[in-house]
Amino acid sequence: MILIAGAGIGGLTLGRALARARLPFRIYERASDLRPAGAGIALSANAFTALAHVGLEEPARACGRELGVAAICHPAGHALISVRVRDIVAGGTVAMARSDLQRVLLESIEGSVQTGRAVARYENVPGGVRVHLADGGAIDADLLVAADGLHSAVRRQMRGAETLRYSGQTSWRALVDGIDLAEPDRLTETWGAGRRFGIVPIGARRVYWFAVRDSPAGGRDGDDACVALRALFAGWHAPIEDMIAATPADQIVRTDIFDRPPIDRWVEGRVALLGDAAHPMTPDAGMGGCQAIEDAVVLADALAREATVDGALIRYQARRVARANGFVVRSHRIGQIAHLRTAPLRWLRNTALRAVPVRLAARALARDLGFRL
Ligand SMILES: Cc1cc2nc3c(=O)[nH]c(=O)nc-3n(C[C@H](O)[C@H](O)[C@H](O)COP(=O)(O)OP(=O)(O)OC[C@H]3O[C@@H](n4cnc5c(N)ncnc54)[C@H](O)[C@@H]3O)c2cc1C
């Protein structure tokens, strides 16, 4: 039996992939009920290729809107670079409400998640692992997969105390209805000094937006986050101010952005890290969830293919570490470049972005957005 700690994107996808491979599993989730954290999410073509292996591409795509174009813009509104994603990889990116993605994943493994059960620690025992729960119970399993996120308790035991790396940036996210966009299939990020704004259409007149600014960790909003955000983005291109104004303040989620420097060992005995527990990354490349999905599909395939669990874990780690860690590094870098504060550096960056041959951007994207089992 395979025990999965955590029913986030990674844990649920792994459950689905194991169910398809007819491998017995259970998911233990700390939260007493499953609520999606955050407003929206964009999944790229690589995530859908992985989801196709477990029969979930169609239902996941149906949750959201396909975005054919991705652009980085100047606060005045003109594009610094614009890429037709659909011309590079079939399918493009699809953005959706997180609650819809969670529903699709949960429905695909109905009844397999036990909520209110936190994994506290583990012991590697001969031929398996003993998993201790916070409520005092203990379960023997062939494998423990830690899909317990950024603050993973399993990782803490495996690697000892590690500090999170704060990006220097905090984010706000929300869904808002009733917004008409000039280009309803275009994802836009607008970069200014120490701040940026993202517009991600997810359905008819429905938009997922995010705002990011340089700020010390642990900051709090006053009573109305909208007031401060409208001031922060005053004078930026339409419809940014209108969109913030149309969002109820209590719908806005604020999150400080952390990651961890990459590590090369995700496996210890019969315990494996997956998703944010293994490779938490900043959201700048929009890849954290996509990589958790890739991890899950590769791990289930390795378990089905290899004669032993140990052999499968070797295969899993060998297949996944370099790719996921590459995104950790690139994502962190993108976040820093997006927020350059010095005007001459911003000018240089914008000039360079305008000069990037579309062919080069397409080649880099094709590498990132490709996934093969
Ligand atoms: C602002 C922001 C925007 C993002 N946008 C995107 C995007 O557009 N596209 C994208 O691909 N990614 C995006 N990401 C990243 C993505 O959200 C994460 O990478 C993804 O959620 C990781 O999934 P996971 O299953 O590994 O962890 P999580 O989703 O964090 O799930 C972990 C689960 O484990 C549970 N848990 C924790 N501890 C325990 C325990 N001890 N025992 C049992 N259960 C436990 C938690 O309650 C939770 O349900 C974004 C992240 C942020 C912060």
Side-chain angles (χ1 to χ4, degrees), residues 283-353:
D284 305 291
M287 273 292 165
C290 299
Q291 290 307 293
I293 289 170
E294 288 189 13
D295 288 347
V297 171
V298 169
L299 177 56
D301 177 69
L303 286 162
R305 205 184 275 264
E306 296 287 334
T308 63
V309 174
D310 300 311
L313 293 180
I314 291 169
R315 184 184 180 94
Y316 164 65
Q317 190 169 262
R319 288 284 321 278
R320 293 299 306 150
V321 166
R323 176 161 165 87
N325 284 353
F327 285 113
V328 176
V329 173
R330 290 202 290 287
S331 210
H332 185 83
R333 204 177 289 148
I334 292 168
Q336 301 306 311
I337 292 171
H339 283 215
L340 287 177
R341 280 177 168 274
T342 323
L345 286 180
R346 279 205 311 283
W347 180 84
L348 268 179
R349 176 200 68 196
N350 293 353
T351 307
L353 278 174

